[in-house]
Amino acid sequence: MRACADEDGVRPNPALVARLRADGKTEYADAVEEVGELSRLGHITYLDQHGPYGNGTPVLNAARNTGDEPKLVLWPDDVFVARTPRAQQLIQAYEATGCPVLALMPVDPGDSQRYGVPVVREDLGRGLLRITGLVEKPEPADAPSAYAAIGGYVVTPGIIDELRRQTERWYEHRTGEIYLTDAINAYARTQAVYGQVIRGQWYDTGNPRAYLTAQFAAALADPDYGPHLRRLAQGPGGTAPSQ
């Protein structure tokens, strides 16, 4: 069976590296080699999604292969630039609490309809908040806080158990989808859940404008591409081109 493109993308590819080096494309060869090293630095497992639609199902599928240890869940369309990586900040919050943790970011109240907004029970300092649930995409006047739950979670066995219960109910009625936030909300009614405000710059790439913004910001920070793009953005004579 032929591997999918996602799997091929992080496997070592010595034939491609050799061809690039033969063509004098040393930088490209180094980049391909660096990506291939990912498969040697850690164990990568690929799983097909089996079960109902919704982002809770792949988490439950992964749990069947990883046991009862806590799980770090990250969505690929959220990009963070931070001195301490987002994942490490979430792990530190989990180590301090021993409870499920959600990644949070401050948002403009007018944007609340785009996100799940946490209900904050207690501010423990250093960006760590005790929360009692999430309100999905509330009107600005109804938003319970000025934070948004973004792509990042530490999920504990209790959340996995709740996902299992939701899935069992789905197979009884076969309506709707299985969402991780629904499981977290159900768990938070009786158990402690925390949110960690992530320190860093967040780029949401879920729409074309945001995706371009993230790409442009990354390119501006690059020592090779940044100066060229700044000159391009300024236009002739050092001024921004007219629209």
Side-chain angles (χ1 to χ4, degrees):
M1 180 182 295
R2 185 182 181 279
C4 71
D6 288 341
E7 296 177 42
D8 288 341
V10 293
R11 283 180 171 164
N13 194 334
L16 177 58
V17 170
R19 188 173 73 189
L20 289 170
R21 294 201 189 284
D23 292 342
K25 299 177 180 179
T26 304
E27 290 185 7
Y28 293 133
D30 290 344
V32 173
E33 214 162 36
E34 182 179 352
V35 170
E37 283 298 312
L38 290 173
S39 64
R40 296 191 179 97
L41 294 174
H43 182 73
I44 301 175
T45 300
Y46 301 88
L47 297 172
D48 293 327
Q49 177 165 332
H50 297 290
Y53 286 115
N55 61 27
T57 296
V59 176
L60 188 55
N61 287 341
R64 295 190 183 104
N65 291 269
T66 56
D68 289 336
E69 64 184 30
K71 294 149 188 56
L72 190 63
V73 180
L74 305 174
W75 307 140
D77 57 353
D78 287 303
V79 177
F80 286 85
V81 179
R83 184 182 300 275
T84 302
R86 166 186 47 160
Q88 188 61 42
Q89 293 183 50
L90 289 171
I91 292 170
Q92 289 170 351
Y94 169 76
E95 290 174 341
T97 63
C99 297
V101 181
L102 286 66
L104 304 177
M105 287 292 283
V107 293
D108 188 292
D111 291 333
S112 63
Q113 291 171 286
R114 298 174 52 198
Y115 305 104
V117 178
V119 180
V120 178
R121 175 175 171 179
E122 184 181 3
D123 187 337
L124 301 174
R126 299 179 63 84
L128 185 62
L129 309 173
R130 170 79 184 269
I131 66 174
T132 58
L134 293 168
V135 178
E136 280 298 325
K137 301 180 180 180
E139 296 287 339
D142 300 325
S145 69
Y147 298 100
I150 51 176
Y153 309 84
V154 176
V155 174
T156 59
I159 302 295
I160 299 301
D161 289 341
E162 185 58 43
L163 283 172
R164 289 193 182 102
R165 286 189 286 270
Q166 290 189 15
T167 303
E168 289 170 0
R169 290 193 294 269
W170 185 91
Y171 278 108
E172 292 175 3
H173 306 288
R174 293 185 179 269
T175 58
E177 300 182 3
I178 307 299
Y179 286 108
L180 181 56
T181 51
D182 291 341
I184 292 171
N185 264 334
Y187 183 85
R189 294 189 190 108
T190 58
Q191 304 292 330
V193 175
Y194 291 84
Q196 176 63 55
V197 180
I198 301 300
R199 302 177 299 277
Q201 178 65 49
W202 169 42
Y203 297 102
D204 176 4
T205 63
N207 62 73
R209 176 179 291 182
Y211 177 80
L212 288 171
T213 300
Q215 294 283 351
F216 191 65
L220 285 176
D222 186 274
D224 294 326
Y225 302 128
H228 171 73
L229 286 175
R230 288 187 179 87
R231 290 192 297 270
L232 181 66
Q234 290 175 346
T239 58
S242 59
Q243 298 182 357

